[in-house]
Amino acid sequence: LIWRHCHGDHCETHSHEAQLKHKKGGSLLLIGDLSHNFIDGILIASAFLFEIQLGLVTALAIYAHQIPQEMGNISIFVHKGIKKNKAILLNVIANISMTAGAIITYVLIDSAGNILPVLLAFTASNLIYVAVSDLIPGLHKKTEIKESSMQIAMILIGVIIIYIFHLFLH
């Protein structure tokens, strides 16, 4: 099972042109976003339950990803013929599922036995999967010196940001 998680025109399945071919509704996007956000809520809650600092870093990483994704979802809804206000409402509803996932995890974690380590492993593997399936293949397509230097610089900036958060939170 390959869970395709991509953004932008490089993706054959989710490109702007592919999305516009199916003008009706946006139910598949809404269902996918509901489940994606629900899982993000589980990930954030499990990280916070383990350690507040880990929860803060996890939430920051997920929200940094969510902001452009949700803006893109609104755009797709509008291009599918849904009015802007309804598109925003659908997006808000989908984002409520993140809160639901977090609350359910928080409430049920004690009755689930020793599942927290499994949830933390799921969190880490989920984020690694996104990097391996989406980011790294995109890096291989750009092999010019200027592009490679930019990629290395961005990776180093990311490492430095995480290091600074680690220093600040510990």
Side-chain angles (χ1 to χ4, degrees):
L1 174 66
I2 297 176
W3 172 21
R4 188 69 186 125
H5 177 95
C6 60
H7 303 282
D9 293 335
H10 69 280
C11 175
E12 313 79 39
T13 305
H14 301 101
S15 70
H16 182 68
E17 292 78 21
Q19 293 294 330
L20 291 178
K21 284 181 185 175
H22 307 288
K23 273 294 227 185
K24 293 186 179 179
S27 57
L28 189 57
L29 175 63
L30 182 60
I31 291 168
D33 202 27
L34 281 164
S35 60
H36 178 122
N37 290 341
F38 186 82
I39 290 170
D40 284 348
I42 293 170
L43 303 178
I44 292 170
S46 61
F48 269 108
L49 288 168
F50 182 75
E51 183 180 65
I52 289 180
Q53 292 87 350
L54 180 61
L56 290 171
V57 171
T58 302
L60 177 67
I62 288 174
Y63 286 124
H65 164 79
Q66 285 290 0
I67 292 168
Q69 176 191 333
E70 299 304 335
M71 289 171 41
N73 288 352
I74 291 171
S75 176
I76 291 169
F77 282 137
V78 169
H79 283 295
K80 287 184 171 285
I82 296 172
K83 293 185 189 224
K84 191 164 116 178
N85 288 339
K86 185 175 180 183
I88 292 170
L89 177 63
L90 290 172
N91 210 40
V92 168
I93 290 168
N95 282 302
I96 290 171
S97 70
M98 185 184 301
T99 305
I103 291 170
I104 289 170
T105 300
Y106 182 77
V107 169
L108 297 179
I109 196 76
D110 288 334
S111 63
N114 198 14
I115 197 168
L116 188 57
V118 174
L119 290 175
L120 292 172
F122 181 69
T123 301
S125 62
N126 195 9
L127 297 175
I128 290 169
Y129 176 82
V130 169
V132 171
S133 67
D134 289 333
L135 302 178
I136 292 174
L139 296 177
H140 289 287
K141 292 180 182 177
K142 299 175 181 177
T143 57
E144 296 175 11
I145 296 294
K146 183 178 176 183
E147 295 285 342
S148 296
S149 299
M150 183 61 93
Q151 292 168 3
I152 291 169
M154 296 307 283
I155 290 169
L156 289 175
I157 289 170
V159 170
I160 291 168
I161 289 170
I162 291 171
Y163 181 72
I164 290 170
F165 271 103
H166 177 74
L167 287 177
F168 178 72
L169 295 173
H170 286 295

